[in-house]
Amino acid sequence: MAFKDILRKINNRYVYVTLAFLIIILFVDQFNVFEQIKLHRTLKDQEQQIEYYKQEISNSEKLLDDLQHDSIVMEKTARENYMMKRDNEVIYLIEGESDK
């Protein structure tokens, strides 16, 4: 096949229309290839966030259940997070240089 034969087959209006269509679809259209790649990345990030928040909800529900039914966990949480103490206790807070 000579170069002229190849040029004759390429020099066809159907080839031009097909190339124009592909260029429009791939690069110019609202939903072009680059936009689809960006949307795919966004979808993956959103799915990871969904999994993270499902795990956080599960942990919070477990902590809530423990707080409602276990007095030891409730006392531990009150002492650590809210600095509560019993009437006959004294709490000393020691601050390190990294805490300031």
Side-chain angles (χ1 to χ4, degrees):
M1 206 177 220
F3 182 70
K4 288 184 178 182
D5 292 335
I6 295 173
L7 204 57
R8 229 181 265 136
K9 287 185 180 185
I10 292 176
N11 195 7
N12 188 339
R13 65 178 166 177
Y14 297 114
V15 173
Y16 293 140
V17 170
T18 304
L19 286 175
F21 177 74
L22 288 176
I23 288 172
I24 289 172
I25 293 298
L26 292 176
F27 301 108
V28 179
D29 191 37
Q30 178 183 2
F31 302 107
N32 59 32
V33 174
F34 305 111
E35 187 70 26
Q36 292 298 320
I37 291 170
K38 187 171 81 171
L39 289 174
H40 184 70
R41 286 181 190 157
T42 304
L43 178 65
K44 290 296 179 187
D45 291 341
Q46 295 294 322
E47 288 173 350
Q48 288 176 351
Q49 285 183 352
I50 287 171
E51 290 301 319
Y52 170 75
Y53 286 119
K54 282 182 181 179
Q55 184 67 33
E56 288 296 315
I57 289 171
S58 173
N59 292 342
S60 296
E61 287 175 348
K62 182 182 180 303
L63 179 62
L64 179 64
D65 186 52
D66 288 344
L67 287 173
Q68 288 176 346
H69 296 102
D70 192 0
S71 62
I72 295 172
V73 173
M74 184 174 20
E75 183 178 344
K76 178 183 175 192
T77 303
R79 287 172 177 267
E80 290 177 355
N81 296 338
Y82 302 107
M83 303 298 172
M84 293 184 172
K85 64 180 184 79
R86 292 188 179 149
D87 289 335
N88 58 354
E89 291 181 334
V90 176
I91 297 178
Y92 296 101
L93 295 177
I94 302 171
E95 291 186 20
E97 289 184 29
S98 63
D99 294 338
K100 292 181 179 179

